Amino acid sequence: FRNQSKFKKQALAVIAAQSQDLDIDKMKAAFLALDTDHDGTLTIIEMKNGIRDAGVVVPQDLDELLKGIDSDGSGVIDYTEFIAA
């Protein structure tokens, strides 16, 4: 499992690197807006607050969706995971 995690991290980095520059700029702005404590990661609370602030109803399964994005199991979404998602 450990090696699979390393592979998945590398795959996410490749996906993020191949995204269009304009898309990356928009996603970076969204990430920075959501990262209210400016620690370089997004917590579930930051994601929920950002969704609510945008006037969107928070999906009931958001926690599970975010766990799927959190490829390294750290409990937070880092920039690469966010871009790759």
Side-chain angles (χ1 to χ4, degrees), residues 1-5 7 9 11 14 19 28-30 36 39 47 52 63 72-74 82 85:
F1 291 113
R2 189 170 158 173
N3 288 337
Q4 184 180 14
S5 179
F7 176 75
K9 287 180 195 176
V14 169
S19 295
K28 181 178 180 180
T36 56
D39 69 350
M47 292 290 290
R52 282 189 194 110
D63 292 2
D72 62 5
S74 64
F82 183 82

Side-chain angles (χ1 to χ4, degrees), residues 14-57:
V14 169
I15 292 167
Q18 292 184 0
S19 295
Q20 296 291 340
D21 289 340
L22 182 58
D23 293 337
I24 293 288
D25 289 342
K26 289 179 182 178
M27 290 185 284
K28 181 178 180 180
F31 183 89
L32 293 173
L34 291 168
D35 184 18
T36 56
D37 65 2
H38 309 289
D39 69 350
T41 63
L42 301 177
T43 64
I44 290 174
I45 292 170
E46 286 174 316
M47 292 290 290
K48 285 181 179 179
N49 289 341
I51 291 169
R52 282 189 194 110
D53 291 348
V56 177
V57 176

Side-chain angles (χ1 to χ4, degrees), residues 1-16 31 41-42 44 63-85:
F1 291 113
R2 189 170 158 173
N3 288 337
Q4 184 180 14
S5 179
K6 287 181 183 180
F7 176 75
K8 191 171 183 180
K9 287 180 195 176
Q10 290 299 322
L12 289 173
V14 169
I15 292 167
F31 183 89
T41 63
L42 301 177
I44 290 174
D63 292 2
E64 288 302 314
L65 292 171
L66 294 178
K67 286 179 187 175
I69 295 170
D70 180 18
S71 65
D72 62 5
S74 64
V76 294
I77 307 299
D78 64 35
Y79 182 70
T80 303
E81 292 168 333
F82 183 82
I83 297 296

